[in-house]
Amino acid sequence: MQPELLTWLIPLPPLAACALIVLFTNRSKTLSHLIAVGAMAVSLVLSLWVFFGYALPRGGGLGQEPIASGVAWLPTGTTTFDVGVLVDPLTAVMLFFVPVTCLMIFLYSVGYHNHGLPEGEHDVKGLPPHGTVEPMYSRFFAFISLFAFAMLTLVVADNLLLLFIGWELMGLCSYLLIGFWYGKDSAQKAAVKAFMTTRVGDVIMMLGIVYLYSQTGTLNFRDILYNAEVLEKLAHTPSVIAGFTASNLIGLLLFAGTIGKSAQFPLHVWLPDAMEGPTPVSAMIHAATMVSAGVYMVIRLFPIMSAGWERGQPLTPAMTAMAFIGALTALFASTIAVAQNDIKRVLAYSTISQLGYMVAALGIGAYVAAAFHLITHAFFKALLFLGSGSVIHGVEHGDHEAGEHLHDHNDMMNYGGLRARMPRTFWTFLIGGLALSGFPLITAGFWSKDEILAEAFVNGHFAVFVTLALAAFLTAFYTMRQISLTFLGEPRTKSAAHAPESVWTMTAPLMVLAFFAVAAGWVGIPNDFLRLSLGNLNWFHPFVGGTLLHEPEALNFNFVPLLTSIVVALGGLSFGWLVYGRKPLATGAPDPLSVWLGPIFTLLKNKYYFDELYDYVFVRPSYWLAEKFAYLFVDKTLIDGTLHAIGRFALWLGSAFRNYVDAPLVNGFGDLVGEGVKSFGRSFRVIQTGKVQNYLLVVLWAVLAFGALFFVVAGR
């Protein structure tokens, strides 16, 4: 089968699964999850077929001769806008990790929704009682199937418009899934918050798409990103803003979409609240689809962001913005994560921080390093989120068995000692945590983070280097804090003491993802690492680098960033162990950081009060405008006043018409005609005598008169 046809087919099975579940199988939970998991498995097989059968054998040459196919879609007057699929090296590696991660999440969801409670209180309206299957089970699998279809469509799209369609469809799916348990008020608000916040970036991104089309006449990736003349034109054409070229402005506008979708500062506030959705949704958003799409988009459009830039020259405005915002976000989010007690919120802020790593890497021109970290992060972050869901389920079951009725099953202060109760969850979570921390030489996270730090150090971006190193230290610290509070020591509640291990459909995906959390990093080990002649270990750099028009040069090995990576990872883990692991927290004991840091800890725990700030600056004024200005002034005064005035004028006009037109003219004329007819009838009714002889006499006179008339006429 032709690879182009296979690529067209990759996104379709999840879409078909969504349609089948909604239309036919929604009453059968078993059939619904079988269709969803089976469809995702088919997409995975097709993706791996394309990756191993066609893409990988071509190596970096795939970038110059990609797998591509298109059809005419929208007539634009003299031309036609085509839509199609494209598989170049960047798409190929995305087609490897996205379906694998999604399939693991789908399989995990079967056990997750079949065993125990969703997160939240037992008595929340709209949530199923303990031990029952999720009542909206089929709906959930329909939604995540649509989610997977949107992401796969975005990945294989050969133009920016089709990518944007998949992008917006993911926004819809995130809204539906974050607010999946709509009986919870917090879930409703989180869904609206996510939808509205990401729309801010999306609208600005749409302006960038329109501006790009106005400058190039196309949105096709091959026609723009692989065309040196187009990129050169964009780099030197003045934009509508003085001092910015077209590529500068387009790059900044498009990057705004990533700020929203990938939760970068200052639009980061929606992602932690997205934890209100089921845990598989959190894993989908944070690892396989939503936030990955934001980083994928700027990696894909990096030639526009860097148009006219060469290594050693000043960064373009778009790259400067990415370097600054990415590094700031990485450090900013990691400081918040150290003070969070919700097991999923720690991971949420960790995701924001790691996405900042990727964005900062692109800002300094580390194209391949950003793509590498995007892939490794997807595996270990999906592992950690699914592991956290396993922990929550175990504690919820333990709570039911012990009858303790905890208020918050996500609070790590209610855990402890789960290593013995949930061994498979513990070991896989430990592997994911070490990968997130960048544990040296073994885990995937180490090699991808090290490459970003190496790019920053070697190319002289020392501010970015130091900021990311500090963020890496804090990442290792809060990861060890999370592991220690959750798994080490003695149980701090009866619920934790009675927590069982999760079912195999939940733990098997953890084991698969744990393997990739380690092995995925091996493809990026520098070839000259420790000066060993081990052959071409790093095939990832030349393969993905072939996506660009000019393949970036591989860095020479440098010990400084390597030692920095080792020191910050081991230092953070060790410090976390000393604070939380060496003497695990006892029941009721305060968090040591809260004692040491005091009000600073409160500031971090409350996320620098950004939610409150945005509430005062944006939300409340919006409500005020909606109520006081839009409703009372615009709606009640202007619109209603205008309508009432029109109504009163219409009544006056109707009254005047009735008095001066209808009554005297229309009714008067009608009455006159009627009276005339009646008068005529009264005048001539005297001839109606009722005597036959009178009528015969009239007839005779009429006959004589007509006869005389005919005689006269005939005589002439």
Side-chain angles (χ1 to χ4, degrees), residues 500-516:
E501 180 61 276
S502 298
V503 294
W504 75 268
T505 51
M506 295 175 68
T507 56
L510 299 181
M511 297 176 188
V512 175
L513 292 171
F515 167 76
F516 286 108

Side-chain angles (χ1 to χ4, degrees), residues 106 109 139-149 177 281 284:
F106 276 47
S109 300
R139 177 187 294 187
F140 176 83
F141 279 98
F143 285 170
I144 62 171
S145 296
L146 186 62
F147 211 161
F149 161 74
L177 288 167
V281 174
M284 286 281 284

